[in-house]
């Protein structure tokens, strides 16, 4: 046995790789060359398709063939001996035609004299009939004799192997890229590997695996200087001899001239003086550059940074200097460009720079101070401001007012210290701030801690920008100034309010009952890193409002992880108070609420007026639930008084509702009514009744008592009682349902936006029934009773099975109708929606709104249900009952919308809605009352009398006496 070689004959030709496209043109030319000469040398660059072309041609010959790869040979005499053995085994071939011997990889024996001599002897005196093919990616070794005899030796190079357009199109067709064939052939001069691989793409994942191996092979064909130039200049967008020289490469002009003639994925300028690697090749070269030794890599980055600075690309220079371990130089470069980085709100870049710059002795540069404080605010990292102030002391921050932008910097420092619980130092900073808008906003922030009144609070101005303006949004929310926060100002993309103020807009939308809009805005913020308030507060509140208990608790836990990175004492306290709120509202878990409130107190909830008031509110509810009414009344009275005095109105309706209940239970009915009226008045001023209704959900007797005491059934308290009856769960609805059932008018079903038709009409009715059930679930007995009344058990069960089967046929992928025992369930039920459910959701949401928002939500509900009767033309007992239920709700929605329109002064809409309601139900007294009020507002006495007569006739039809309330109303209106 010869060292490194197996005994026995050599194998024949390797298999042609799967998917290789035949190239008859090239095969024909190779066969013609072998027919005229005994030796063919195929010398072409890496990736030129040499091996595949030779393999296809050799398989087309009728005689036997052998293949000798030289890549695995050893060195020196062992290599020569191994080659002799291989040749001896391959040459005595016999068969029907002339044998072919392919020797692949001549470059591996270059310079090995004995191996070259062994192969040269075969070239000079091949056995009769032998055809010898020599394959190499470089010039053939000079030591192989006989290759200069042009009468016996034929040569193929890159040009002979290059793709033409038709071949490239065939090769690219399986990938659907045949239209690119002409472009790729022209760009790559037909180079096979260049054409087949997508070097132009930038997907980093594509630079792994096989592509890395290919790129490594391309580099191995180059000289050391050529490979070094490509790797080092991969940091450049475009390579010239001058830029390569600036990176420390010697004689780059000669090296680039040599590369110009290589087959590589490089794009060259027409004059050959500039080049750039195509993206995926460059990605590989960058990885090789990153793998250089530490000293070499740092030197390359330093030189690259100097080039970037010379070109005015200072931001990129900062990054390169930081990666080169040059923080001082990076700091100098950063000072020039940080204002621009912050202007476009690229906080992530600015943060990464500052975190890698080591502090230097002495006061920090003003630009770096502003950057650090804006990052602290934008990323909710108050510890950054504390670190600056603690490092440089009062003498430093005391001098900020005299510097450009110093007033804004001080306001942000106040915010940092306020958040961290160091309120005494924050007050000291406030005292040195000069008068002006920034000081007014900082003072308003401090009032949330001190308990002083928020009024007058600076207005939110559309023309004001910067982080302190977002601070004002936060203060306005805490103060209950919700109407000012709900707009979408036409601010430029870099505006701080648009970029970092969204959480407070979401919060204001939710607080005023615009749950759908809040959810849409929340979803529009994407899945990337989110502001802490959005994660730790908004997410929890939204899930709780939608009745999604488990998700609310999970969001609270996730939010605490975000809070932990901020260094904010305020956020810690608010998270604990939110835990108490969830425990009381979702679970009635007094013990857990007590623990959370105790922990909030330990963290300092009493040190801030607004958190102390919130703690008092939830403590009051906890005491109410525990039956300790007197203590609850005291706690809540203190909280309500502090909120009222301090003009912090956000949760004042909540606290006042609980106080009303506590006072009633303590026996003080007058104080109970006063507290309830205070809650209603503040909620109405805020422009929404959602927070008020949430509190009334907890103690509904407050609303019932006040409604009973009202002389008219059209009072706001009656509206609140009606809204409470719709329930909190009705607010929940899928944001983007996969399966949608249009139930009003002509029934239609669509899956992923495409209309589908179950082959059994009963399947659609089955879907509607499930959508009308909690969690889209129903037992078989209920389905049989409702959908198939009067049928025998056997027939009903058979029909139900068919309806289920036909419904499953049209469900989109990912939506299923499951049967678990005798229970049928649509899952996930959040992916399925019906228009009747949307109608009810809109009504429930409208009940928690006020003013224009409520009016437009009611109109949207009316449009949803206005397409026709529910399941028009179909009649079964349950459908008839559901139709009547929805028709009554539609009529009531018309009345409610008309009442809101009347309050808004929309007299024409009031009269139209009242008329529509009376047309649907001429016996509804509320509709008559609304019609009379509309006629009176329009100044039409004649219509007023005619309407009253119509009312009297309707009551006579019913055989009931007209109500005294209506008579008094007409008399009052006529006056």
């Amino acid at each position: 046995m010869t060292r490194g070689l197996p005994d026995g004959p050599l194998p024949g030709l390797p298999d042609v790789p799967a998917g290789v496209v035949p190239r008859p043109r090239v095969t024909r030319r190779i066969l013609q060359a072998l027919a005229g000469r005994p030796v063919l040398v195929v010398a072409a660059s890496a990736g030129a398709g040499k091996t595949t072309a030779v393999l296809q041609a050799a398989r087309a010959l009728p005689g036997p063939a052998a293949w000798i790869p030289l890549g695995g040979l050893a060195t020196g005499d062992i290599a020569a001996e191994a080659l002799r053995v291989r040749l001896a085994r391959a040459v005595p071939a016999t068969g029907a035609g002339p044998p072919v011997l392919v020797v692949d990889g001549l470059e591996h024996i270059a310079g090995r004299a004995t191996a070259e001599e062994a192969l040269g002897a075969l070239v000079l005196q091949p056995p009769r009939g032998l055809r010898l093919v020599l394959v190499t990616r470089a010039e053939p070794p000079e030591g192989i004799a006989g290759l200069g005899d042009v009468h016996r030796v034929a040569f193929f190079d890159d040009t002979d192997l290059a793709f033409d357009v038709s071949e490239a199109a065939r090769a690219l067709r399986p990938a659907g890229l045949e239209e690119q064939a002409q472009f790729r052939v022209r760009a790559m001069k037909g180079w096979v590997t260049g054409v087949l691989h997508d070097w132009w793409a930038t997907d980093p994942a594509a630079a792994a695996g096989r592509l890395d191996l290919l790129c490594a092979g391309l580099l191995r064909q180059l000289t050391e200087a050529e490979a070094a130039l490509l790797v080092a200049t991969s940091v450049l967008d475009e390579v010239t001899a001058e830029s390569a020289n600036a990176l420390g490469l010697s004689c780059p002009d000669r090296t680039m001239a040599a590369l110009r003639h290589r087959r590589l994925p490089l794009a060259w300028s027409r004059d050959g003086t500039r080049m750039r690697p195509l993206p995926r090749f460059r990605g590989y070269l960058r990885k090789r550059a990153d793998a250089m030794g530490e000293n070499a890599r740092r030197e390359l980055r330093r030189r690259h940074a100097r080039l970037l600075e010379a070109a005015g690309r200072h931001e990129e220079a900062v990054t390169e200097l930081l990666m080169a371990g040059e923080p001082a130089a990076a700091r100098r470069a950063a000072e020039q460009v940080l204002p621009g980085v912050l202007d476009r709100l690229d906080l992530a870049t600015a943060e990464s720079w500052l975190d890698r710059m080591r502090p230097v002795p002495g006061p920090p540069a003003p630009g770096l101070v502003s950057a650090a404080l804006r990052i602290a605010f934008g990323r909710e990292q108050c510890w950054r401001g504390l670190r600056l102030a603690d490092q440089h002391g009062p003498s430093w921050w005391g001098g900020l007012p005299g510097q450009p932008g110093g007033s804004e910097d001080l306001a942000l420092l106040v915010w940092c210290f306020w958040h961290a619980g160091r309120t005494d130092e924050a007050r000291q900073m406030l005292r040195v701030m000069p008068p002006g808008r920034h000081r007014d906003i900082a003072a308003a922030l401090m009032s949330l801690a001190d308990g002083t009144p928020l009024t007058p609070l600076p207005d939110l101005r559309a023309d004001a920008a910067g982080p302190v303006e977002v601070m004002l949004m936060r203060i306005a929310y805490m103060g209950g100034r919700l109407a000012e926060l709900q707009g979408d100002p036409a601010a430029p993309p870099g505006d701080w309010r648009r970029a970092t103020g969204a959480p407070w807009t979401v919060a204001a939308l939710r607080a005023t009952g615009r749950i759908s809009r809040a959810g849409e805005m929340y979803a529009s913020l994407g899945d990337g890193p989110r502001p802490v308030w959005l994660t730790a507060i908004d997410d929890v509140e939204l899930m709780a409002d939608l009745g999604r208990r488990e998700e609310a608790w999970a969001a609270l836990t996730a939010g605490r992880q975000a809070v932990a990175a901020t260094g904010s004492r305020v956020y810690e306290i608010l998270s604990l108070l939110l835990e108490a709120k969830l425990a009381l509202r979702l679970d009635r878990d007094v013990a857990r609420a007590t623990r959370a409130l105790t922990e909030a107190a330990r963290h300092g909830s009493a040190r801030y007026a607004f958190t102390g008031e919130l703690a008092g509110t939830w403590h009051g509810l906890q005491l109410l639930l525990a039956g300790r009414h007197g203590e609850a009344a005291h706690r809540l009275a203190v909280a309500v008084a502090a909120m009222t005095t301090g003009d912090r109105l956000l949760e004042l309706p909540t606290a006042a509702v609980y106080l009303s209940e506590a006072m009633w239970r303590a026996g003080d009915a007058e104080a109970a009514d006063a507290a309830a009226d205070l809650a209603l008045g503040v909620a109405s001023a805020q422009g929404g009744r959602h927070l008020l209704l949430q509190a009334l959900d907890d103690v509904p007797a407050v609303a019932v008592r006040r409604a009973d005491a009202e002389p008219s059934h059209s009072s706001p308290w009656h509206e609140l009682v009606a809204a409470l009856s719709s329930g909190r769960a009705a607010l929940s609805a899928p944001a983007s349902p996969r399966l949608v059932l249009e139930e009003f008018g002509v029934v239609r079903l669509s899956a992923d936006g495409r209309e589908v038709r179950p082959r059994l009409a009963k399947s659609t009715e089955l879907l509607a029934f499930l959508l009308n059930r909690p969690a889209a679930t129903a037992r078989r007995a209920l389905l049989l009773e409702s959908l198939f009344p009067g049928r025998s058990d056997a027939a009903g069960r058979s029909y139900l099975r068919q309806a289920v089967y036909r419904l499953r046929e049209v469900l989109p992928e990912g939506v299923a109708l499951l049967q678990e025992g005798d229970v049928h369930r649509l899952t996930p039920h959040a992916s399925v929606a019906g228009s009747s459910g949307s109608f009810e959701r809109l009504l429930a949401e409208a009940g928690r709104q006020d003013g224009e928002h409520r009016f437009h939500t009611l109109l949207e509900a009316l449009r949803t249900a206005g397409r026709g009767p529910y399941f028009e033309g179909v009649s079964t007992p349950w459908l008839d009952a559901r139709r009547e239920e929805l028709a009554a709700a539609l009529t009531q929605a018309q009345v409610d919308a008309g009442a809101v329109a009347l309050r808004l002064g929309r007299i024409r809409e009031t009269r139209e809605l009242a008329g529509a309601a009376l047309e649907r139900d001429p016996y509804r007294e509320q509709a008559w009352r609304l019609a009379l009020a509309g006629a009176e507002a329009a100044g039409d006495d004649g219509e007023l009398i005619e309407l009253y007569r119509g009312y009297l006739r309707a009551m006579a039809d019913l055989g009931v006496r007209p109500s005294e309330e209506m008579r008094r109303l007409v008399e009052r209106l006529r006056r």
Side-chain angles (χ1 to χ4, degrees):
M1 176 176 176
T2 305
R3 180 177 178 182
L5 294 173
D7 293 326
L10 287 173
L13 299 175
D15 293 330
V16 177
V20 169
V21 176
R23 301 184 64 192
R25 177 183 64 86
V26 176
T27 297
R28 186 168 56 251
R29 291 199 58 200
I30 291 176
L31 294 178
Q32 289 171 349
L34 289 174
R37 296 177 178 85
V39 180
L40 171 63
V41 177
V42 181
S45 59
K50 305 179 296 294
T51 300
T52 302
V54 170
L55 185 56
Q56 288 178 334
R59 286 189 172 276
L61 289 168
W67 192 285
I68 300 179
L70 300 183
L73 289 180
T75 59
D77 293 338
I78 296 176
E81 178 61 21
L83 180 58
R84 286 192 185 95
V85 171
R86 291 189 180 191
L87 293 175
R89 292 178 186 164
V91 170
T94 60
V100 175
L101 173 62
V102 181
V103 181
D104 188 11
L106 262 61
E107 66 273 9
H108 293 292
I109 63 169
R112 302 177 186 178
T114 52
E116 291 175 352
E117 181 183 345
L119 193 56
L122 185 61
V123 172
L124 289 171
Q125 293 183 338
R128 182 179 299 275
L130 176 69
R131 291 296 181 261
L132 181 63
V133 182
L134 306 178
V135 183
T136 178
R137 68 171 53 182
E139 291 297 319
E142 295 180 357
I144 300 177
L147 294 183
D149 187 351
V150 296
H151 298 290
R152 300 180 62 257
V153 181
F155 279 85
F156 266 44
D157 59 15
D158 287 278
T159 304
D160 299 291
L161 297 172
F163 269 144
D164 63 21
V165 174
S166 62
E167 289 171 334
R170 285 196 302 273
L172 293 170
R173 188 169 294 126
L177 301 172
E178 61 267 32
E179 293 182 358
Q180 298 185 18
Q182 186 171 358
F183 159 73
R184 293 190 180 205
V185 168
R186 185 174 62 251
M188 294 286 101
K189 296 184 173 64
W191 176 44
V192 171
T193 296
V195 170
L196 292 178
H197 286 272
D198 190 6
W199 302 100
W200 293 266
T202 56
D203 179 9
R210 290 182 58 191
L211 186 61
D212 278 10
L213 293 174
L214 174 60
C215 293
L218 294 177
L219 287 192
R220 281 196 297 271
Q221 73 173 320
L222 307 178
T223 66
E224 185 177 343
E226 291 168 349
L229 183 141
L230 287 176
V231 170
T233 59
S234 65
V235 300
L236 304 174
D237 294 332
E238 186 176 70
V239 183
T240 63
E242 293 77 11
S243 62
N245 186 64
L247 292 180
L249 296 161
S250 60
C251 304
D253 49 350
R254 283 188 293 182
T255 307
M256 287 182 65
L259 285 170
R260 186 76 176 85
H261 301 287
R262 297 283 195 180
R263 294 276 181 164
L264 293 166
L266 304 173
W268 289 88
S269 63
R270 289 189 176 182
D271 60 4
T273 61
R274 303 184 309 280
M275 68 92 173
R276 55 182 175 82
L278 295 181
R280 284 186 175 165
F281 187 45
R282 185 185 182 191
Y284 173 78
L285 295 173
R286 287 298 299 265
K287 290 200 298 185
R288 290 285 293 266
D290 291 339
M292 296 167 64
E294 184 176 354
N295 291 336
R297 187 170 64 250
R298 286 190 172 187
E299 180 60 23
L300 177 63
R301 291 192 181 281
R302 279 194 289 268
R303 290 176 176 270
H304 185 213
R306 286 198 289 270
L307 276 175
L308 291 169
E309 287 188 289
R313 295 164 61 179
H314 298 288
E315 290 187 25
E316 297 166 83
V318 173
T319 300
E320 286 292 274
L321 288 168
L322 287 171
M323 296 183 74
E326 298 282 351
R331 182 183 294 271
R332 290 192 296 271
E335 289 177 13
Q336 302 180 50
V337 295
L338 265 174
V341 173
L342 291 168
D343 282 347
R344 66 171 187 265
L345 281 173
D346 188 354
L347 299 178
T349 295
E351 179 184 15
S352 69
W353 288 357
L354 288 187
D355 287 344
R356 296 170 68 177
M357 293 177 190
R358 292 191 293 271
V360 296
L368 294 182
V369 169
S370 294
L373 291 173
R374 279 154 183 75
I375 292 167
F377 184 82
R379 308 290 272 190
E380 302 280 5
Q381 297 167 348
C382 62
W383 54 266
R384 289 185 182 274
L386 271 62
R387 186 171 65 183
L388 266 175
D390 290 343
Q391 181 180 352
H392 301 290
S395 60
W396 163 72
W397 55 257
L400 285 178
Q403 298 179 4
S407 176
E408 188 173 25
D409 291 344
L410 259 178
L412 295 175
L413 267 180
V414 170
W415 175 87
C416 291
F417 276 76
W418 178 87
H419 251 284
R422 294 168 62 174
T423 51
D424 291 340
E425 293 158 281
R427 292 183 188 94
Q428 295 175 25
M429 294 172 180
L430 182 64
R431 283 195 284 270
V432 304
M433 288 187 69
R437 183 171 175 83
H438 290 149
R439 190 188 188 284
D440 291 343
I441 295 173
L445 177 70
M446 289 307 304
S447 74
L448 293 176
D450 298 341
T452 53
L454 270 177
T455 306
L457 185 68
D459 293 331
L460 287 166
R461 297 196 328 229
D463 61 340
V468 180
E469 297 303 318
V470 181
M471 188 192 306
L472 179 57
M473 291 180 70
R474 303 176 179 202
I475 301 165
Y477 174 74
M478 297 297 182
R481 276 54 163 193
L482 304 177
E484 302 173 55
L485 295 170
Q486 297 179 55
D488 187 15
D495 181 80
W496 276 82
R497 284 174 300 170
R498 178 180 293 243
T500 63
W504 283 269
T505 300
V506 171
L509 290 167
R510 183 201 69 82
T512 52
R514 300 176 67 188
I515 307 298
S516 295
R517 180 71 186 99
E520 290 168 4
M521 188 170 186
Y522 179 90
S524 72
L525 297 177
D527 296 326
R530 295 186 165 210
V532 174
W533 183 275
L534 196 73
T535 301
I537 308 295
D538 283 342
D539 196 5
V540 184
E541 298 271 29
L542 276 171
M543 294 303 101
D545 285 1
L546 295 173
R548 290 150 67 171
R549 176 189 174 279
E550 291 77 12
E551 292 171 77
W553 282 114
L556 183 75
T557 301
R560 292 216 170 137
Q561 297 175 2
V563 166
T566 66
S568 167
R569 182 63 57 86
V570 171
Y571 280 147
E572 290 175 352
I573 295 168
L574 287 174
S575 181
L576 289 165
L577 295 177
L578 191 50
E579 179 182 357
K581 176 180 178 179
L582 295 186
L584 294 170
R585 280 196 165 159
L586 299 183
D587 299 339
R588 290 294 193 260
D589 189 340
V590 173
R592 180 168 186 174
T594 301
R595 291 193 297 271
L597 290 168
T598 300
E599 188 67 11
R602 193 180 68 81
H603 278 70
S605 59
R607 296 189 62 182
Y608 297 88
F610 82 106
T611 57
E613 293 154 7
L614 288 175
T617 299
W618 303 121
H619 196 181
L621 178 58
Q622 173 226 355
L623 292 169
L624 271 178
L625 295 177
R628 297 158 63 182
H629 309 142
E631 296 173 74
H634 173 72
R635 282 271 187 177
L636 290 163
V638 171
V640 167
M643 290 176 179
T644 305
T645 302
D647 204 28
R648 290 175 290 277
L649 308 178
L650 177 65
E651 291 288 3
L652 179 53
T654 304
V657 165
Y658 296 158
L659 176 60
S660 176
E661 180 67 15
M663 287 298 186
W664 177 267
R665 294 184 187 182
D668 191 340
E670 185 177 345
D673 289 347
D677 291 341
L678 173 64
L680 178 60
V682 173
S684 299
Q686 287 177 339
R689 300 188 286 191
H690 180 54
L691 299 182
L692 174 64
L693 276 163
Q694 283 189 315
L696 291 171
D697 278 332
D698 297 326
V699 284
V702 172
V704 174
R705 282 193 299 267
R706 292 300 293 121
D708 286 344
E710 291 293 321
S712 169
H713 286 84
S714 59
S715 73
W717 284 110
H718 284 87
E719 291 180 0
L720 289 169
V721 171
L724 286 173
S725 67
S726 69
R728 187 180 305 176
L731 292 172
S732 183
S736 301
R738 303 277 311 284
L739 189 70
V740 178
L741 178 63
E742 172 53 62
E743 301 154 285
F744 294 106
V746 179
V747 177
R748 291 187 176 89
L749 180 62
S750 59
D752 291 333
R754 178 179 57 87
E755 186 172 351
V756 294
R757 296 176 183 272
R759 286 190 277 180
L760 197 63
K762 210 66 173 178
S763 298
T764 307
E765 188 181 341
L766 167 64
L767 176 62
F769 187 85
L770 288 171
L771 288 177
N772 194 38
R773 298 287 302 165
T777 300
R779 291 190 175 276
R780 181 172 54 196
L782 180 60
L783 290 172
L784 292 171
E785 177 187 346
S786 302
L787 301 178
F788 312 106
R791 291 182 180 267
S792 68
D793 289 347
R797 286 196 297 270
S798 175
Y799 206 174
L800 177 60
R801 283 194 298 271
Q802 293 179 52
V804 168
Y805 176 72
R806 296 306 183 189
L807 179 56
R808 285 172 176 162
E809 287 183 327
V810 299
L811 295 179
E813 185 177 355
V815 179
L817 175 53
L818 303 180
Q819 183 175 353
E820 300 163 346
D822 68 339
V823 174
H824 290 76
R825 175 167 58 90
L826 270 171
T827 183
H829 69 270
S831 296
V832 188
S835 53
S836 67
S838 299
F839 170 66
E840 290 175 319
R841 174 184 58 79
L842 287 167
L843 293 183
E845 193 166 316
R848 294 171 179 266
Q849 299 170 354
D850 207 353
E852 289 283 354
H853 296 314
R854 186 178 185 206
F855 181 64
H856 288 297
T857 302
L858 285 168
L859 289 185
E860 185 180 353
L862 292 174
R863 284 192 294 270
T864 299
R867 300 185 180 100
Y870 183 77
F871 267 75
E872 187 172 18
V874 183
S875 178
T876 60
W878 90 266
L879 277 176
D880 294 341
R882 176 72 169 149
R883 187 178 297 121
E884 290 180 11
E885 175 187 4
L886 291 169
L890 175 59
T891 306
Q892 186 60 49
Q894 291 171 325
V895 173
D896 291 343
V900 178
L902 182 64
R903 290 198 290 270
L904 294 173
R906 297 173 177 265
I907 307 306
R908 179 178 60 82
E909 289 96 330
T910 300
R911 301 173 78 183
E912 289 174 353
L913 288 161
L918 286 172
E919 186 176 344
R920 295 183 61 85
D921 184 358
Y923 304 111
R924 186 176 293 253
E925 184 164 312
Q926 282 180 300
W928 285 110
R929 189 183 304 118
L930 178 65
L932 289 167
E936 189 273 336
D940 193 336
D941 286 347
E943 183 181 0
L944 183 68
I945 297 301
E946 186 58 37
L947 282 169
Y948 186 60
R949 288 172 177 164
Y951 165 72
L952 294 176
R953 287 193 295 270
M955 295 302 102
D957 289 344
L958 291 176
V960 299
R961 297 182 61 183
S963 72
E964 189 64 23
E965 183 181 347
M966 283 290 285
R967 187 186 63 77
R968 288 196 301 268
L969 174 65
V970 171
E971 289 180 355
R972 180 176 60 81
L973 293 178
R974 292 191 67 191
R975 286 197 297 269

